[in-house]
Amino acid sequence: MTRIEIIINKVVIIALSFVMFFSGLGLIVAGVRTRKKIWNICGLAYIGAGWILMSIGLVSVYLIMWIVCIIHTVIVSKEYCLRLKVIKESKDVLQSKEEELAKERQQAIYKELIGEKGTEKKEVEEPQKNVTPIDVNNCTETELSGVPGMGLILAKRAVDVRNEIPFSSMEDFYTRLSIDESKAKRMTEYLTCSETVVKKEDLVKEETKDVINHTSGRKIDI
């Protein structure tokens, strides 16, 4: 909060206290902005008392009370500006913490997607667990994403690659997905690879393809 802002805030509430019949308005504004109820009560009391005094003709008493209200507002203005400064700084701190938490959450989501979430804890706990390995050629995308070090993105990629050509071994799995050795060690006990089953239709297609390749370009003897 700059010095100019402090001066402006002081001047505003003091100027409001000079408004006749509404001299407590400055205190009410200060109380609302800083959430200090006692200032709201004082402001309302000054306004209410002023109306009563004027209605019964005690003008001189009202003028004295008016001066007292102005002095009261001037005294309060210093604490008022200090409270405003604290509130503004606390909001800035809160906003920075919210931004920091948002960044941490984004990083956590990203780590979860790439399979890096909770790696350190799992490295300690995983060897103690007896797990049933899942088959990389028959498992679902969801099952695969639950493997430590895998994540949703890599699991989806594995399924896409498998749909083109099934994996022949775990080494083939790691190689085709470009999985490094450290990740492969964490996945080893959770994964297995069944033998690749070739369908009859695929064999027919391959044999037909071989015949075409063999006979292409061959001359007919007359």
Side-chain angles (χ1 to χ4, degrees):
M1 195 172 183
T2 63
R3 187 176 181 80
I4 296 174
E5 290 176 331
I6 292 172
I7 294 172
I8 291 172
N9 283 304
K10 274 187 178 182
V11 170
V12 168
I13 64 169
I14 293 172
L16 289 172
S17 68
F18 278 91
V19 179
M20 188 171 284
F21 306 120
F22 293 96
S23 56
L25 191 58
L27 290 173
I28 294 173
V29 171
V32 170
R33 293 195 66 188
T34 58
R35 298 178 183 178
K36 190 164 183 178
K37 293 181 179 179
I38 188 64
W39 291 347
N40 293 330
I41 295 170
C42 289
L44 291 171
Y46 281 124
I47 294 173
W51 279 94
I52 293 171
L53 291 172
M54 290 299 291
S55 65
I56 62 178
L58 298 176
V59 179
S60 58
V61 178
Y62 170 73
L63 292 174
I64 294 171
M65 189 199 68
W66 186 16
I67 294 171
V68 171
C69 180
I70 293 171
I71 295 171
H72 188 181
T73 306
V74 171
I75 295 171
V76 162
S77 63
K78 185 176 181 180
E79 184 182 351
Y80 165 64
C81 292
L82 182 62
R83 282 176 172 269
L84 282 181
K85 185 178 179 181
V86 171
I87 290 171
K88 187 177 184 302
E89 289 176 353
S90 63
K91 285 182 179 179
D92 293 339
V93 171
L94 181 62
Q95 185 177 359
S96 64
K97 285 185 177 181
E98 287 177 350
E99 290 175 355
E100 185 178 348
L101 288 172
K103 288 181 181 178
E104 290 179 358
R105 180 170 176 78
Q106 289 175 355
Q107 290 176 356
I109 293 172
Y110 175 73
K111 286 181 179 180
E112 184 178 357
L113 290 174
I114 63 174
E116 293 294 339
K117 186 177 181 181
T119 299
E120 295 180 359
K121 291 183 179 180
K122 286 183 179 180
E123 285 180 352
V124 177
E125 296 173 359
E126 283 163 9
Q128 300 175 358
K129 297 179 180 179
N130 293 323
V131 296
T132 303
I134 60 174
D135 189 351
V136 294
N137 281 326
N138 296 309
C139 64
T140 63
E141 183 180 308
T142 303
E143 291 174 336
L144 199 56
S145 65
V147 174
M150 182 63 65
L152 295 173
I153 294 175
L154 192 56
K156 184 174 180 59
R157 185 182 165 201
V159 172
D160 291 340
V161 171
R162 181 186 71 191
N163 289 338
E164 294 178 2
I165 301 176
F167 300 108
S168 60
S169 64
M170 287 308 303
E171 288 75 14
D172 182 41
F173 176 81
Y174 298 138
T175 301
R176 290 165 65 185
L177 295 180
S178 302
I179 296 174
D180 57 39
E181 188 176 351
S182 61
K183 270 192 176 184
K185 286 181 179 179
R186 296 204 304 273
M187 298 178 186
T188 300
E189 63 178 311
Y190 294 89
L191 300 174
T192 185
C193 182
S194 61
E195 295 182 1
T196 305
V197 179
V198 181
K199 296 180 180 180
K200 291 183 179 180
E201 293 83 353
D202 295 335
L203 288 173
V204 172
K205 288 180 181 179
E206 289 295 327
E207 290 176 357
T208 305
K209 189 175 180 181
D210 291 340
V211 171
I212 293 172
N213 291 335
H214 180 71
T215 57
S216 61
R218 183 177 177 182
K219 294 182 180 179
I220 301 174
D221 296 332
I222 300 175

